Amino acid sequence: MPDAKPQDMIEPTGKKGKKGKNAKGKKGKKGVIPVLFVLLAVLAGGGYFGLKMTKGTAKVEKQAIKLGDSQHIINLGEFLVNTAGGKTYLKATVFLHLAKGAELVGGGGHEGAPSPATLAPYTDAVRAALANQTDADLSNSAGVKALKVKIAKAVNDVYHELHKDEEPNDHRPMPVGGDASWDSQEGPVLIVYLTQYVWE
C-alpha cells in the first residue's frame, strides 16, 4: 500500500502539467488570429484607396486638347515692322485660334472681341517675334511655318506668365490628342493664321 501512494500522486501531477502546457499553446494561437485579420483589413483598405486615387489621376491626365470653334479665333490686327537687319519690312494680319474652352482675356472671343488694351501684352509679343525675322526666314514656306510656331509660343508664354498663380488645369489644356498641323501642342493658342503677309 505505501508503494501505491507515490504513484497516485505522481500521475495527476503529470496530467496537470500537460493540460497547462496545451492551454498555453492554444491561447497563443488564438491571440495571433485577430492580429492577422487586422493586418489584412489595413492592407485591403490601403489598396482600395490607392486604386481610387490612381483612377482620379488618370482622369485628369486623359483630358484631351481640342481646337475651338470659330468663336475661339481672335484677330490681333495688322502689324507693320522692320525685320532683323533693318533693310526689310514685314506687313501681316495675325489671327490666333485657341483651344476649346480657352481664352486669352475675359470674354476671349465668346462675348465679343477683346479690347486692344487687354490684348496689349500679346500684340507686343507678336511684334517682337515678327521683328526678329531675317530675309532668309521669310523667303520660303518652311520659314513662314517656323514664324507661326514662334508666334504661338510667344503668346502662350505671355499667357502662362500672366496666369502663373492660377491652377494650371483651369487654363492650360493637357497636351493630349494634339494635331501635327497645329503650331503649338499645349495651348491656349494652337494655330496662327497670317493674312496679308507681305515683306519687301
Side-chain angles (χ1 to χ4, degrees):
M1 294 295 290
D3 294 335
K5 284 181 181 178
Q7 291 175 359
D8 292 339
M9 291 174 67
I10 292 168
E11 209 170 1
T13 305
K15 286 180 182 178
K16 280 183 182 177
K18 287 178 183 178
K19 283 180 182 177
K21 200 171 185 181
N22 290 340
K24 189 176 180 183
K26 288 179 182 177
K27 188 177 180 183
K29 288 180 181 177
K30 286 178 182 177
V32 171
I33 292 171
V35 174
L36 288 174
F37 276 120
V38 170
L39 287 173
L40 287 171
V42 170
L43 289 172
Y48 172 75
F49 286 112
L51 185 62
K52 282 194 77 174
M53 288 176 69
T54 304
K55 284 182 178 178
T57 305
K59 285 180 182 177
V60 174
E61 290 175 352
K62 287 180 181 177
Q63 181 183 351
I65 185 170
K66 296 180 181 179
L67 191 64
D69 57 20
S70 60
Q71 290 185 322
H72 290 76
I73 299 176
I74 296 177
N75 182 0
L76 286 187
E78 185 179 274
F79 294 82
L80 179 63
V81 299
N82 286 324
T83 56
K87 295 181 180 180
T88 306
Y89 75 87
L90 172 63
K91 181 179 180 181
T93 301
V94 179
F95 291 84
L96 306 176
H97 201 154
L98 309 183
K100 185 177 181 180
E103 53 184 34
L104 288 182
V105 294
H110 297 280
E111 299 173 2
S115 69
T118 58
L119 291 176
Y122 304 109
T123 56
D124 187 57
V126 172
R127 185 172 287 105
L130 293 172
N132 197 38
Q133 300 304 290
T134 65
D135 291 351
D137 295 331
L138 303 171
S139 62
N140 54 65
S141 58
V144 174
K145 174 64 178 176
L147 173 58
K148 291 180 179 182
V149 172
K150 289 177 183 177
I151 291 173
K153 184 180 185 308
V155 174
N156 287 337
D157 286 349
V158 170
Y159 178 87
H160 297 313
E161 180 63 26
L162 292 174
H163 294 83
K164 64 183 178 182
D165 295 330
E166 301 176 25
E167 289 295 326
N169 288 338
D170 290 345
H171 299 281
R172 192 171 192 168
M174 299 295 290
V176 177
D179 190 307
S181 66
W182 295 349
D183 298 314
S184 173
Q185 298 297 309
E186 72 169 13
V189 177
L190 300 182
I191 299 177
V192 174
Y193 304 112
L194 299 177
T195 63
Q196 299 181 8
Y197 183 80
V198 179
W199 67 280
E200 290 183 7

